[in-house]
């Protein structure tokens, strides 16, 4: 069993907070993780799965039912199916405030669960469990398999690539036909959502123009924006914001759009193997999105991520900021002998950044003539990112 990076942090939170909620996409391993860690609290465990009608029936009078089990660690799976539970937990926690009393899992961000974000303020800690990161896959991780299959355990772990592709196809089909409707209790039209996912795959790594999507989908701009909110809240896409702090330049301000899991991207584009991907024009954007997701999953919490682009050509794929200071600028290249554009160096100057990096699949670690660090993704995640 692969040890998850989140385990140590989650254990600390369970020992200090009355309620902890593990968020993440469906099928990412949330239930497996919390069940394993819950035993450490050394209390009896009560498990409730809100996708099961029998468990929802138990919570018809949730306050009375849960109060009867005050001595247990109560795990509530897929809590977004009963958002009113957040308000009910508040008096129970205040009446008997004990660490590790409730462990919740959810497949939607608290901001999109009505009442969740404010009901338990000060009583709950939220953490996100992402698909397996590159560094979680082994002591000497090689990105190629992980990049192509993505990080969902059932896609990454099978020995046969055919089993991986089959699982990803069912995963996508389930989200399109069932899961999004269940998560948000909204009737998404399957054909519209399928077209949207396909468009996102083709626009992966590009600046998001919502009006293009709304025209193609035949919906209003606000409706298309709401669809993006739902997909981001379900941990399917990532809108990387543009950096716009303290700059007098004319900046691009729209976010860049990425599918968070590279395996999902590659199945939506029907790639059969890694060579099929490498021969396609989208390979650079795929690698860029994959690297960005690995940085996002591995970075210290205090670092914020952006991209930077001006109308006169200055740009950098990733800007890492702490406080009001840019601590690193990152260019992402699918080449082990990268050639940097003038725009990247202008971006370093604009942002007054002394730490420039170029991340490649597997190049040696060295400084080029302008003081920019060239390194592999693995080296950046292990050696440089933790020390920024």
């Amino acid at each position: 069993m692969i040890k998850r990076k989140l385990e140590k942090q989650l254990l600390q939170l369970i020992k200090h907070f009355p309620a902890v909620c593990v968020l993440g996409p469906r099928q990412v391993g949330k239930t497996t993780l919390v069940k394993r860690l819950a035993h450490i609290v050394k209390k009896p465990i009560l498990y409730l799965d809100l996708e099961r009608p029998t468990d929802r029936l138990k919570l018809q009078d949730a306050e009375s039912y849960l109060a009867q089990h005050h001595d247990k660690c109560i795990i509530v799976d897929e809590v977004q199916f009963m958002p009113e539970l957040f308000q009910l937990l508040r008096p129970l926690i205040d009446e008997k405030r004990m660490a590790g009393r409730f462990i919740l899992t959810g497949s939607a961000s608290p901001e999109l669960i009505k009442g969740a974000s404010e009901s338990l303020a000060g009583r709950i800690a939220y953490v996100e469990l992402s698909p397996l990161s590159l560094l979680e896959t082994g002591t000497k991780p090689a990105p190629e398999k992980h990049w192509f299959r993505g990080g969902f355990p059932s896609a990454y772990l099978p020995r046969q690539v055919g089993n991986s592709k089959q699982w990803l196809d069912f995963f996508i089909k389930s989200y399109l036909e069932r899961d999004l409707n269940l998560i948000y209790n909204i009737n998404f039209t399957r054909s519209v959502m399928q077209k949207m996912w396909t468009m996102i795959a083709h626009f992966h790594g590009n600046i998001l123009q919502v009006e293009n999507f709304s025209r193609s989908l035949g919906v209003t701009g606000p409706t298309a924006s709401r669809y993006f909110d739902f997909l981001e809240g379900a941990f399917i896409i990532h809108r990387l914001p543009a950096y716009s702090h303290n700059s007098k330049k004319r900046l691009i301000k729209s976010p860049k759009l990425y599918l968070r899991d590279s395996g999902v991207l590659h199945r939506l584009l029907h790639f059969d193997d890694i060579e099929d991907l490498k021969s396609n024009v989208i390979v650079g954007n795929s690698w860029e999105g994959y690297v960005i997701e690995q940085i996002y999953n591995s970075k210290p919490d205090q670092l914020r991520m952006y991209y930077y682009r001006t109308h006169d050509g200055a740009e950098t794929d990733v800007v890492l900021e702490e406080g009001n200071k840019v601590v690193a600028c990152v260019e992402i290249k699918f080449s082990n002998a990268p050639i940097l554009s003038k725009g990247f160096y202008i971006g370093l100057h604009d942002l007054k950044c002394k730490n420039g990096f170029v991340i490649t699949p597997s190049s040696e670690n060295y400084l080029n003539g302008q003081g920019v660090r060239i390194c592999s993704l693995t080296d950046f995640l292990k050696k440089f990112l933790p020390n920024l």
Side-chain angles (χ1 to χ4, degrees), residues 4 25 28 129-133 136 150-153 260-261 293 297:
R4 305 305 305 268
V28 78
L129 182 67
S130 299
L132 293 169
S133 71
E136 288 175 318
F152 284 98
R260 291 192 59 173
D261 185 73
E293 182 67 12
N297 289 338

Side-chain angles (χ1 to χ4, degrees), residues 63-76:
E63 190 170 354
S64 297
Y65 179 80
L66 295 174
Q68 295 173 34
H69 299 280
H70 62 85
D71 59 332
K72 297 182 175 69
C73 174
I74 300 174
I75 299 174
V76 183

Side-chain angles (χ1 to χ4, degrees), residues 35 78 114 161 196 245 261 283 288 303 316:
K35 280 184 173 181
E78 301 296 353
K114 187 177 180 181
V161 68
M196 184 173 187
H245 305 169
D261 185 73
V283 64
E288 178 183 310
L303 294 185
T316 181

Side-chain angles (χ1 to χ4, degrees), residues 132-138 141-144 146 290 294 298 377-378 381:
L132 293 169
S133 71
L134 176 63
L135 296 187
E136 288 175 318
T137 62
E144 197 162 276
H146 185 251
Y290 172 71
Q294 299 313 302
S298 301
L377 173 58
T378 302
L381 296 176

Side-chain angles (χ1 to χ4, degrees), residues 193-228:
M193 195 54 60
Q194 184 174 34
K195 185 175 183 181
M196 184 173 187
W197 281 44
T198 302
M199 286 182 66
I200 291 171
H202 286 283
F203 278 89
H204 175 89
N206 287 286
I207 293 170
L208 174 59
Q209 303 291 344
V210 175
E211 59 272 18
N212 293 340
F213 280 82
S214 64
R215 283 196 299 268
S216 296
L217 297 173
V219 300
T220 65
T223 296
S225 294
R226 196 161 62 250
Y227 286 170
F228 282 114

Side-chain angles (χ1 to χ4, degrees), residues 89-148:
L89 292 181
R90 181 173 180 169
L92 293 173
I93 289 173
D94 288 346
E95 183 179 328
K96 193 175 182 65
R97 199 177 183 98
M98 296 170 53
R101 190 171 173 192
F102 297 98
I103 303 177
L104 317 175
T105 78
S107 299
S109 66
E111 292 77 16
L112 294 177
I113 303 174
K114 187 177 180 181
S117 56
E118 59 274 353
S119 297
L120 291 173
R123 301 165 181 84
I124 190 169
Y126 292 98
V127 291
E128 181 185 332
L129 182 67
S130 299
L132 293 169
S133 71
L134 176 63
L135 296 187
E136 288 175 318
T137 62
T139 54
K140 294 183 179 180
E144 197 162 276
K145 174 187 171 183
H146 185 251
W147 170 35
F148 184 71

Side-chain angles (χ1 to χ4, degrees), residues 31 58 100 133 216 320 327 388:
T31 304
K58 294 175 184 177
S133 71
S216 296
L320 293 171
V327 296
L388 289 177

Side-chain angles (χ1 to χ4, degrees), residues 245-371:
H245 305 169
N246 305 321
S247 178
K248 298 179 182 178
K249 299 285 184 110
R250 292 179 61 241
L251 302 174
I252 305 294
K253 295 184 178 180
S254 297
K256 291 179 77 172
L257 178 64
Y258 298 95
L259 275 157
R260 291 192 59 173
D261 185 73
S262 55
V264 171
L265 169 69
H266 299 153
R267 288 314 300 150
L268 286 168
L269 296 174
H270 307 293
F271 294 129
D272 288 325
D273 53 40
I274 190 70
E275 297 307 321
D276 200 11
L277 168 62
K278 287 179 179 179
S279 64
N280 192 281
V281 68
I282 203 173
V283 64
N285 282 8
S286 170
W287 174 250
E288 178 183 310
Y290 172 71
V291 172
I292 285 171
E293 182 67 12
Q294 299 313 302
I295 295 173
Y296 180 78
N297 289 338
S298 301
K299 70 178 181 64
D301 290 340
Q302 72 271 18
L303 294 185
R304 295 182 299 278
M305 283 182 65
Y306 307 89
Y307 82 94
Y308 178 76
R309 184 176 297 181
T310 68
H311 285 277
D312 56 5
E315 63 177 317
T316 181
D317 293 327
V318 176
V319 175
L320 293 171
E321 182 186 55
E322 182 177 1
N324 293 316
K325 181 182 179 182
V326 173
V327 296
C329 289
V330 178
E331 190 72 1
I332 301 165
K333 296 289 187 182
F334 185 65
S335 168
N336 289 320
I339 298 173
L340 292 179
S341 69
K342 181 181 178 182
F344 179 68
Y345 292 106
I346 295 173
L348 285 172
H349 180 267
D350 289 349
L351 298 171
K352 299 179 175 60
C353 179
K354 297 180 180 179
N355 291 320
F357 293 89
V358 181
I359 295 178
T360 71
S362 57
S363 67
E364 293 182 4
N365 176 4
Y366 65 95
L367 287 172
N368 72 4
Q370 287 74 40

